[in-house]
């Protein structure tokens, strides 16, 4: 009897989740609807069991969410963010409470995939910080898995032309506009099926689609990339651009910077948002002055590296001097 009661409860949840049709009951003892679901042999004769119809879903948290990235950009705000490469939830939580406008979880150069990204997104959500997922490739399977986690934005690397941009956008849209697989009743993006407005908001209204331009050929194709419907931002890739020009080992050569300035003007003339990374050549404030809408100015491992090196340089030298002093004093006593 206990097993049957547990099965009934499971049927309720399963039927509600997948919208199994309900048939009315004519029983005089109850006016509630009934559901008929197939179960294994041995629980009920004819292999069927009756389940009560599910109760209405619990109300969602009515706390006002933070403004969407797209809303803030549309209002003219310039946003300053950071990259999470370590995939450490603790470090990501610090970035969130430090009040960066957004954090990019980097699955292209970081060691983690979607499973490692999930707890990072969860702690960022607890701080009210929008998360952007950077994919390792312009691939619809990676896009599908990333989108199901519910990021505020998704960044596609190495977008070379309009065809690549169209493929990226289609990967973010459900049919008939795209090819994204549908599992919204069970994924985090839709609060595991509890957010019934998800389908109305998840594409044009909420999701920020970012295409990275990282080669000479891609710079030439900026106008056609930006013209693709659904592309919200073009993210400049200064380091890969320098590499594509064969100048990665020549940091003083200004040719990549000159091309980057040309690319920036092209993006600003298209109407899509201009986004980029701060470098040794271009500080965050310099990029803001150049008209960037979003600037990523810090990387979590870089912040830790710089702080660690500075700490060692400051305190280890003092320790060495003190040790040398002690050694000399000992020597003078022996003499």
């Amino acid at each position: 009897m206990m097993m049957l009661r547990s099965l009934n409860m499971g049927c309720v949840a399963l039927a509600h989740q997948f919208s199994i049709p309900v048939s009315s009951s004519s029983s005089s003892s109850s006016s509630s609807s009934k559901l008929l679901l197939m179960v294994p042999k041995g629980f009920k004769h004819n292999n069927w069991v009756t389940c009560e119809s599910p109760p209405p879903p619990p109300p969602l948290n009515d706390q006002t969410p933070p403004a969407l990235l797209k809303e803030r950009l549309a209002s003219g705000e310039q946003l300053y963010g950071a990259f999470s490469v370590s995939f450490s939830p603790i470090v990501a939580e610090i970035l969130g409470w430090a009040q960066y406008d957004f954090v990019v979880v980097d699955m292209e150069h970081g060691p983690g995939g979607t499973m490692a990204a999930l707890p990072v997104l969860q702690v960022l959500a607890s701080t009210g910080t929008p998360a952007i997922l950077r994919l390792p490739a312009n691939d619809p399977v990676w896009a599908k898995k990333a989108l199901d986690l519910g990021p505020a934005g998704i960044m596609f690397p190495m977008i070379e032309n309009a065809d690549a941009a169209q493929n990226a956008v289609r990967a973010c849209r459900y049919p008939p506009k795209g090819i994204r697989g549908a599992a919204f009743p069970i994924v985090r993006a839709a609060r595991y099926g509890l957010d019934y407005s998800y389908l109305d908001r998840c594409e044009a209204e909420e999701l920020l689609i970012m295409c990275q331009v990282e080669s000479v050929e891609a710079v030439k194709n900026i106008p056609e990339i930006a013209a693709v419907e659904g592309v919200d931002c073009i993210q400049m890739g200064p380091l890969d651009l320098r590499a594509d020009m064969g100048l990665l080992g020549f940091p003083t050569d200004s040719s990549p910077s000159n091309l980057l300035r040309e690319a920036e003007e092209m993006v600003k003339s298209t109407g899509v948002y201009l986004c980029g990374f701060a470098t040794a050549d271009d500080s965050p404030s310099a990029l803001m002055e150049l008209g960037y809408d979003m600037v990523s100015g810090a990387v979590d491992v870089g912040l830790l590296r710089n702080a660690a090196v500075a700490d060692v340089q400051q305190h280890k030298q003092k320790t060495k001097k003190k040790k040398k002093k002690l050694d000399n004093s000992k020597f003078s006593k022996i003499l």
Side-chain angles (χ1 to χ4, degrees), residues 156-178:
F156 291 88
M158 294 293 180
I159 300 300
E160 294 288 295
N161 49 47
D163 288 341
Q166 287 170 352
N167 290 338
V169 173
R170 281 175 52 78
C172 298
R173 303 284 191 253
Y174 289 117
K177 294 180 179 180

Side-chain angles (χ1 to χ4, degrees), residues 3 19 40 42 70 82-83 172 202 251 253 259 268-269 294 301 303 325:
M3 185 178 295
S19 304
K70 293 180 86 166
F83 262 61
C172 298
C202 68
D253 193 308
L259 182 58
K268 286 189 285 186
S269 69
M294 297 176 71
V301 293
L303 291 171
K325 221 177 205 180

